[in-house]
PDB file of all heavy atoms in Angstrom:
ATOM      1  N   ALA A  88      14.326 -14.682  -1.476  1.00 94.00           N
ATOM      2  CA  ALA A  88      15.261 -15.325  -2.416  1.00 94.00           C
ATOM      3  C   ALA A  88      16.291 -14.335  -2.937  1.00 94.00           C
ATOM      4  O   ALA A  88      17.476 -14.668  -3.051  1.00 94.00           O
ATOM      5  CB  ALA A  88      14.483 -15.945  -3.575  1.00 94.00           C
ATOM      6  N   ALA A  89      15.862 -13.122  -3.244  1.00 94.00           N
ATOM      7  CA  ALA A  89      16.800 -12.108  -3.728  1.00 94.00           C
ATOM      8  C   ALA A  89      17.810 -11.727  -2.654  1.00 94.00           C
ATOM      9  O   ALA A  89      19.009 -11.576  -2.929  1.00 94.00           O
ATOM     10  CB  ALA A  89      16.033 -10.865  -4.194  1.00 94.00           C
ATOM     11  N   THR A  90      17.350 -11.599  -1.419  1.00 94.00           N
ATOM     12  CA  THR A  90      18.257 -11.241  -0.325  1.00 94.00           C
ATOM     13  C   THR A  90      19.279 -12.338  -0.080  1.00 94.00           C
ATOM     14  O   THR A  90      20.478 -12.061   0.083  1.00 94.00           O
ATOM     15  CB  THR A  90      17.452 -10.969   0.963  1.00 94.00           C
ATOM     16  OG1 THR A  90      16.520  -9.918   0.702  1.00 94.00           O
ATOM     17  CG2 THR A  90      18.348 -10.581   2.104  1.00 94.00           C
ATOM     18  N   VAL A  91      18.835 -13.575  -0.065  1.00 94.00           N
ATOM     19  CA  VAL A  91      19.764 -14.695   0.144  1.00 94.00           C
ATOM     20  C   VAL A  91      20.758 -14.780  -1.009  1.00 94.00           C
ATOM     21  O   VAL A  91      21.957 -15.010  -0.799  1.00 94.00           O
ATOM     22  CB  VAL A  91      18.990 -16.014   0.330  1.00 94.00           C
ATOM     23  CG1 VAL A  91      19.912 -17.214   0.269  1.00 94.00           C
ATOM     24  CG2 VAL A  91      18.234 -15.990   1.649  1.00 94.00           C
ATOM     25  N   SER A  92      20.288 -14.571  -2.225  1.00 94.00           N
ATOM     26  CA  SER A  92      21.182 -14.626  -3.381  1.00 94.00           C
ATOM     27  C   SER A  92      22.266 -13.562  -3.306  1.00 94.00           C
ATOM     28  O   SER A  92      23.447 -13.842  -3.550  1.00 94.00           O
ATOM     29  CB  SER A  92      20.384 -14.449  -4.675  1.00 94.00           C
ATOM     30  OG  SER A  92      19.447 -15.465  -4.816  1.00 94.00           O
ATOM     31  N   VAL A  93      21.883 -12.352  -2.974  1.00 94.00           N
ATOM     32  CA  VAL A  93      22.870 -11.268  -2.861  1.00 94.00           C
ATOM     33  C   VAL A  93      23.823 -11.537  -1.701  1.00 94.00           C
ATOM     34  O   VAL A  93      25.026 -11.278  -1.799  1.00 94.00           O
ATOM     35  CB  VAL A  93      22.170  -9.904  -2.711  1.00 94.00           C
ATOM     36  CG1 VAL A  93      23.158  -8.805  -2.355  1.00 94.00           C
ATOM     37  CG2 VAL A  93      21.439  -9.548  -3.995  1.00 94.00           C
ATOM     38  N   ALA A  94      23.312 -12.078  -0.605  1.00 93.00           N
ATOM     39  CA  ALA A  94      24.176 -12.385   0.537  1.00 93.00           C
ATOM     40  C   ALA A  94      25.197 -13.458   0.183  1.00 93.00           C
ATOM     41  O   ALA A  94      26.365 -13.377   0.582  1.00 93.00           O
ATOM     42  CB  ALA A  94      23.329 -12.831   1.730  1.00 93.00           C
ATOM     43  N   VAL A  95      24.794 -14.462  -0.588  1.00 94.00           N
ATOM     44  CA  VAL A  95      25.725 -15.519  -1.005  1.00 94.00           C
ATOM     45  C   VAL A  95      26.807 -14.942  -1.908  1.00 94.00           C
ATOM     46  O   VAL A  95      28.000 -15.242  -1.760  1.00 94.00           O
ATOM     47  CB  VAL A  95      24.966 -16.672  -1.696  1.00 94.00           C
ATOM     48  CG1 VAL A  95      25.904 -17.605  -2.412  1.00 94.00           C
ATOM     49  CG2 VAL A  95      24.136 -17.428  -0.683  1.00 94.00           C
ATOM     50  N   VAL A  96      26.412 -14.086  -2.845  1.00 93.00           N
ATOM     51  CA  VAL A  96      27.392 -13.454  -3.727  1.00 93.00           C
ATOM     52  C   VAL A  96      28.332 -12.559  -2.919  1.00 93.00           C
ATOM     53  O   VAL A  96      29.549 -12.528  -3.159  1.00 93.00           O
ATOM     54  CB  VAL A  96      26.687 -12.649  -4.838  1.00 93.00           C
ATOM     55  CG1 VAL A  96      27.667 -11.793  -5.613  1.00 93.00           C
ATOM     56  CG2 VAL A  96      25.948 -13.586  -5.767  1.00 93.00           C
ATOM     57  N   ALA A  97      27.786 -11.848  -1.932  1.00 91.00           N
ATOM     58  CA  ALA A  97      28.618 -10.973  -1.099  1.00 91.00           C
ATOM     59  C   ALA A  97      29.646 -11.773  -0.314  1.00 91.00           C
ATOM     60  O   ALA A  97      30.827 -11.403  -0.265  1.00 91.00           O
ATOM     61  CB  ALA A  97      27.730 -10.176  -0.141  1.00 91.00           C
ATOM     62  N   VAL A  98      29.226 -12.854   0.299  1.00 91.00           N
ATOM     63  CA  VAL A  98      30.158 -13.677   1.073  1.00 91.00           C
ATOM     64  C   VAL A  98      31.225 -14.261   0.165  1.00 91.00           C
ATOM     65  O   VAL A  98      32.420 -14.258   0.493  1.00 91.00           O
ATOM     66  CB  VAL A  98      29.396 -14.797   1.832  1.00 91.00           C
ATOM     67  CG1 VAL A  98      30.355 -15.822   2.402  1.00 91.00           C
ATOM     68  CG2 VAL A  98      28.541 -14.195   2.934  1.00 91.00           C
ATOM     69  N   GLY A  99      30.814 -14.727  -1.011  1.00 90.00           N
ATOM     70  CA  GLY A  99      31.793 -15.259  -1.955  1.00 90.00           C
ATOM     71  C   GLY A  99      32.796 -14.209  -2.403  1.00 90.00           C
ATOM     72  O   GLY A  99      34.000 -14.481  -2.494  1.00 90.00           O
ATOM     73  N   ASP A 100      32.325 -13.015  -2.663  1.00 89.00           N
ATOM     74  CA  ASP A 100      33.227 -11.939  -3.081  1.00 89.00           C
ATOM     75  C   ASP A 100      34.170 -11.539  -1.959  1.00 89.00           C
ATOM     76  O   ASP A 100      35.364 -11.307  -2.197  1.00 89.00           O
ATOM     77  CB  ASP A 100      32.423 -10.735  -3.547  1.00 89.00           C
ATOM     78  CG  ASP A 100      33.318  -9.623  -4.053  1.00 89.00           C
ATOM     79  OD1 ASP A 100      34.094  -9.880  -4.999  1.00 89.00           O
ATOM     80  OD2 ASP A 100      33.244  -8.502  -3.509  1.00 89.00           O
ATOM     81  N   LEU A 101      33.663 -11.461  -0.743  1.00 86.00           N
ATOM     82  CA  LEU A 101      34.521 -11.082   0.389  1.00 86.00           C
ATOM     83  C   LEU A 101      35.556 -12.161   0.685  1.00 86.00           C
ATOM     84  O   LEU A 101      36.713 -11.846   0.995  1.00 86.00           O
ATOM     85  CB  LEU A 101      33.660 -10.801   1.629  1.00 86.00           C
ATOM     86  CG  LEU A 101      32.809  -9.547   1.538  1.00 86.00           C
ATOM     87  CD1 LEU A 101      31.867  -9.474   2.728  1.00 86.00           C
ATOM     88  CD2 LEU A 101      33.659  -8.302   1.439  1.00 86.00           C
ATOM     89  N   ILE A 102      35.172 -13.414   0.584  1.00 88.00           N
ATOM     90  CA  ILE A 102      36.138 -14.494   0.808  1.00 88.00           C
ATOM     91  C   ILE A 102      37.182 -14.497  -0.289  1.00 88.00           C
ATOM     92  O   ILE A 102      38.393 -14.668  -0.032  1.00 88.00           O
ATOM     93  CB  ILE A 102      35.420 -15.857   0.899  1.00 88.00           C
ATOM     94  CG1 ILE A 102      34.641 -15.937   2.210  1.00 88.00           C
ATOM     95  CG2 ILE A 102      36.404 -17.004   0.806  1.00 88.00           C
ATOM     96  CD1 ILE A 102      33.764 -17.157   2.335  1.00 88.00           C
ATOM     97  N   ARG A 103      36.769 -14.306  -1.528  1.00 84.00           N
ATOM     98  CA  ARG A 103      37.710 -14.270  -2.644  1.00 84.00           C
ATOM     99  C   ARG A 103      38.679 -13.104  -2.486  1.00 84.00           C
ATOM    100  O   ARG A 103      39.876 -13.240  -2.746  1.00 84.00           O
ATOM    101  CB  ARG A 103      36.955 -14.123  -3.970  1.00 84.00           C
ATOM    102  CG  ARG A 103      37.850 -14.166  -5.176  1.00 84.00           C
ATOM    103  CD  ARG A 103      37.034 -14.057  -6.441  1.00 84.00           C
ATOM    104  NE  ARG A 103      36.248 -12.829  -6.499  1.00 84.00           N
ATOM    105  CZ  ARG A 103      36.623 -11.742  -7.191  1.00 84.00           C
ATOM    106  NH1 ARG A 103      37.735 -11.739  -7.857  1.00 84.00           N
ATOM    107  NH2 ARG A 103      35.856 -10.674  -7.170  1.00 84.00           N
ATOM    108  N   GLY A 104      38.189 -11.961  -2.010  1.00 77.00           N
ATOM    109  CA  GLY A 104      39.053 -10.803  -1.810  1.00 77.00           C
ATOM    110  C   GLY A 104      40.005 -10.967  -0.639  1.00 77.00           C
ATOM    111  O   GLY A 104      41.094 -10.382  -0.615  1.00 77.00           O
ATOM    112  N   THR A 105      39.636 -11.781   0.333  1.00 71.00           N
ATOM    113  CA  THR A 105      40.486 -11.993   1.501  1.00 71.00           C
ATOM    114  C   THR A 105      41.708 -12.827   1.180  1.00 71.00           C
ATOM    115  O   THR A 105      42.792 -12.590   1.700  1.00 71.00           O
ATOM    116  CB  THR A 105      39.671 -12.694   2.621  1.00 71.00           C
ATOM    117  OG1 THR A 105      38.531 -11.895   2.927  1.00 71.00           O
ATOM    118  CG2 THR A 105      40.500 -12.882   3.871  1.00 71.00           C
ATOM    119  N   TYR A 106      41.566 -13.781   0.283  1.00 68.00           N
ATOM    120  CA  TYR A 106      42.652 -14.723   0.007  1.00 68.00           C
ATOM    121  C   TYR A 106      43.455 -14.379  -1.238  1.00 68.00           C
ATOM    122  O   TYR A 106      44.101 -15.212  -1.819  1.00 68.00           O
ATOM    123  CB  TYR A 106      42.090 -16.148  -0.138  1.00 68.00           C
ATOM    124  CG  TYR A 106      41.524 -16.655   1.168  1.00 68.00           C
ATOM    125  CD1 TYR A 106      40.176 -16.840   1.347  1.00 68.00           C
ATOM    126  CD2 TYR A 106      42.381 -16.940   2.232  1.00 68.00           C
ATOM    127  CE1 TYR A 106      39.665 -17.303   2.546  1.00 68.00           C
ATOM    128  CE2 TYR A 106      41.883 -17.397   3.431  1.00 68.00           C
ATOM    129  CZ  TYR A 106      40.537 -17.585   3.591  1.00 68.00           C
ATOM    130  OH  TYR A 106      40.037 -18.039   4.770  1.00 68.00           O
ATOM    131  N   ARG A 107      43.428 -13.153  -1.677  1.00 63.00           N
ATOM    132  CA  ARG A 107      44.250 -12.743  -2.823  1.00 63.00           C
ATOM    133  C   ARG A 107      45.659 -12.461  -2.392  1.00 63.00           C
ATOM    134  O   ARG A 107      46.004 -12.018  -1.396  1.00 63.00           O
ATOM    135  CB  ARG A 107      43.693 -11.480  -3.453  1.00 63.00           C
ATOM    136  CG  ARG A 107      42.541 -11.782  -4.350  1.00 63.00           C
ATOM    137  CD  ARG A 107      42.213 -10.565  -5.131  1.00 63.00           C
ATOM    138  NE  ARG A 107      40.901 -10.733  -5.700  1.00 63.00           N
ATOM    139  CZ  ARG A 107      40.307  -9.815  -6.405  1.00 63.00           C
ATOM    140  NH1 ARG A 107      40.877  -8.665  -6.627  1.00 63.00           N
ATOM    141  NH2 ARG A 107      39.133 -10.018  -6.897  1.00 63.00           N
TER     142      ARG A 107
END
Side-chain angles (χ1 to χ4, degrees):
T90 302
V91 169
S92 299
V93 170
V95 167
V96 170
V98 168
D100 183 58
L101 291 172
I102 289 173
R103 184 178 59 99
T105 303
Y106 294 111
R107 280 191 196 178

